[in-house]
Amino acid sequence: MLSRTPPMGFNTWNTFAENINADLIKETADKMVELGLVDAGYKYLVIDDCWSKKERDPETGKIVPDENKFPEGMKAVSDYVHSKGLKFGMYSCAGTRTCADYPGSYGHEFLDARTFAEYGADFLKYDYCYKPHTADGVKLYRKMGMALKACGREILFSACNWGNDEVSKWIRSAGAHMYRSTGDIFDSFESMRDIAMSQIENLAYSAPGCFNDIDMLTCGMYGKGHVGFGEDIDRKQFDIDYKTEFSLWCMFSSPLMIGCDIRSISDETLKLLKNKTLIRINQDEESRPAFVGSRLEKSTPTFVKHLSNGEFAVLFTNMGEERNGRCALYFDEIGIPADSGYGLRLVDAITGEDIGVKKEFFMIELEKHDSRMFIGRLEK
Ligand code: GLA
């Protein structure tokens, strides 16, 4: 099964947008191996928008790679990516043009799926710009779902209609393996927080085979790149924000697509993205939705997620702008009444610190934007 657990990899868009080329892809592939990201599970290397020429080939009708960016064509890039033990991802759009105004697949779905198969693609992100008004969006995703099935290669279908048309209700039936459910992320705490918080009601739609994608990670961008805000101190994110971002993505079973420049990734980001416990929470085979356990203040929700081995992931967050925020977990609210005699042994997912068995309630203070993930075990 493709997408038994949330897909993991890298996507060019957040940092590079149109500034992509074969060397960047190869260097990124090399680094993903060298830094142990592939071993940690990040398997897909996805080229987003802006890879093709502005028009299709007039004779064959095919989309063609821009020879200035990919002089040896796409198959050569894909072969290189595969030779490194990675999987290769491509991008197209359900409308007539892509969001950055390159040819879209509307009316060419089966031909394009075959072209991606010829490239050796293992993944297709499928966007939603320039959809003709008369076209039915659901049918367009069904059509590409079928075209991928017919193309002769197993290709993971990554839908991206930003949550339109109540997508979570039908996208799994169209054959998608993951689907975007929000607009685009930007590298600011506000953008990241709003995207994550908007998806709480939607979490139950993620399950093996098809996952709610809350967008590519901005962890490690520090304001740089296409979706960054430069040196704007009030908007760029810091390590503490990225810890919260990655913890939420893991808690929410979202695909984990790295969006920073891996060739110059910081030690702190690398450590975070390779954290085995956080990845285990994200990749848990049952993919149970997290729920809000307690919410002492609006900005300090605490999330709980059942894990398949009988443990629980427990995430305390302070999404507020106050210096300190009080975060609580009332055990009665998550199904552990005091008269059961049970509490939770809590072990910090990042530091490994065992803080003992907590009963009835547990309260901590967190700095603004901070979070703390624990693994919990029922104990008397
Ligand atoms: C849309 C998508 C982004 C990215 C761009 C490319 O905005 O949501 O993730 O793929 O298009 O143009």
Side-chain angles (χ1 to χ4, degrees):
M1 188 210 286
L2 282 179
S3 199
R4 186 181 290 282
T5 58
M8 296 169 67
F10 164 82
N11 176 301
T12 52
W13 184 256
N14 278 1
T15 294
F16 301 101
E18 76 272 22
N19 300 313
I20 50 174
N21 57 53
D23 288 343
L24 167 71
I25 302 305
K26 292 178 183 172
E27 286 162 22
T28 302
D30 291 347
K31 272 285 172 194
M32 287 173 78
V33 176
E34 188 189 314
L35 298 174
L37 286 165
V38 179
D39 285 344
Y42 297 91
K43 295 243 155 33
Y44 290 96
L45 199 169
V46 181
I47 301 179
D48 206 281
D49 206 349
C50 312
W51 59 270
S52 77
K53 286 171 94 145
K54 283 280 183 171
E55 301 303 333
R56 289 174 178 270
D57 181 299
E59 266 158 39
T60 61
K62 287 183 170 182
I63 311 190
V64 268
D66 179 337
E67 68 266 16
N68 296 316
K69 296 175 179 171
F70 301 99
E72 294 170 62
M74 266 315 165
K75 182 67 169 54
V77 180
S78 159
D79 285 347
Y80 188 87
V81 168
H82 287 141
S83 76
K84 294 280 157 177
L86 282 143
K87 292 185 180 292
F88 182 61
M90 293 292 315
Y91 164 98
S92 189
C93 182
T96 53
R97 308 287 291 175
T98 70
C99 299
D101 197 22
Y102 292 78
S105 289
Y106 181 78
H108 304 270
E109 291 84 354
F110 281 69
L111 171 65
D112 289 355
R114 276 202 305 280
T115 305
F116 295 133
E118 281 163 21
Y119 293 163
D122 307 294
F123 180 113
L124 177 69
K125 174 171 170 183
Y126 205 47
D127 221 332
Y128 203 49
C129 283
Y130 296 100
K131 178 184 83 69
H133 292 304
T134 49
D136 177 304
V138 179
K139 281 199 188 139
L140 293 183
Y141 280 93
R142 282 192 190 144
K143 201 165 171 187
M144 186 47 94
M146 288 294 177
L148 289 173
K149 287 286 152 64
C151 78
R153 195 175 163 88
E154 194 172 55
I155 297 183
L156 188 151
F157 186 18
S158 166
C160 180
N161 86 339
W162 322 305
N164 280 292
D165 311 324
E166 298 190 274
V167 64
S168 43
K169 298 199 174 147
W170 53 266
I171 195 69
R172 172 180 284 266
S173 69
H177 299 97
M178 57 190 258
Y179 68 97
R180 279 272 302 282
S181 44
T182 69
D184 290 8
I185 196 167
F186 287 86
D187 185 27
S188 76
F189 189 79
E190 197 184 8
S191 162
M192 182 281 285
R193 175 201 62 205
D194 290 351
I195 282 185
M197 292 307 100
S198 74
Q199 291 309 298
I200 294 174
E201 298 301 319
N202 221 5
L203 295 177
Y205 290 102
S206 269
C210 186
F211 291 92
N212 183 352
D213 171 10
I214 61 176
D215 210 350
M216 284 95 68
L217 295 159
T218 60
C219 299
M221 290 183 67
Y222 304 106
K224 295 197 213 90
H226 182 68
V227 304
F229 290 100
E231 286 305 301
D232 184 344
I233 206 91
D234 290 330
R235 305 199 76 177
K236 76 174 188 182
Q237 297 202 83
F238 299 91
D239 287 325
I240 198 167
D241 310 60
Y242 294 137
K243 182 175 64 151
T244 298
E245 175 174 344
F246 193 61
S247 301
L248 284 164
W249 265 234
C250 288
M251 200 64 177
F252 287 9
S253 308
S254 175
L256 300 176
M257 304 301 288
I258 299 170
C260 69
D261 185 347
I262 292 181
R263 299 168 309 169
S264 55
I265 195 168
S266 72
D267 293 346
E268 194 69 21
T269 306
L270 187 62
K271 219 167 97 194
L272 176 70
L273 297 179
K274 284 172 66 177
N275 181 289
K276 285 201 164 71
T277 310
L278 295 178
I279 292 178
R280 167 160 80 88
I281 293 165
N282 176 264
Q283 295 286 302
D284 189 76
E285 60 180 1
E286 290 181 356
S287 315
R288 294 197 183 272
F291 62 92
V292 178
S294 307
R295 199 165 191 165
L296 193 58
E297 291 164 31
K298 189 166 180 287
S299 56
T300 60
T302 301
F303 300 94
V304 176
K305 175 180 176 174
H306 283 242
L307 300 175
S308 52
N309 65 353
E311 294 177 333
F312 307 88
V314 183
L315 177 64
F316 293 82
T317 64
N318 178 8
M319 315 270 198
E321 299 301 326
E322 303 289 315
R323 218 186 103 65
N324 285 329
R326 286 191 312 146
C327 314
L329 186 65
Y330 296 101
F331 286 49
D332 192 49
E333 290 184 332
I334 65 164
I336 314 175
D339 63 11
S340 70
Y342 281 93
L344 285 180
R345 177 176 294 283
L346 295 174
V347 177
D348 189 299
I350 291 178
T351 64
E353 183 195 355
D354 181 342
I355 62 162
V357 180
K358 305 292 170 193
K359 288 186 170 172
E360 290 185 49
F361 73 95
F362 178 53
M363 202 175 288
I364 53 175
E365 270 200 4
L366 289 173
E367 294 247 337
K368 72 171 194 178
H369 301 185
D370 200 4
S371 60
R372 215 163 153 193
M373 180 83 91
F374 293 96
I375 293 288
R377 257 198 322 270
L378 281 165
E379 267 183 42
K380 283 226 174 193

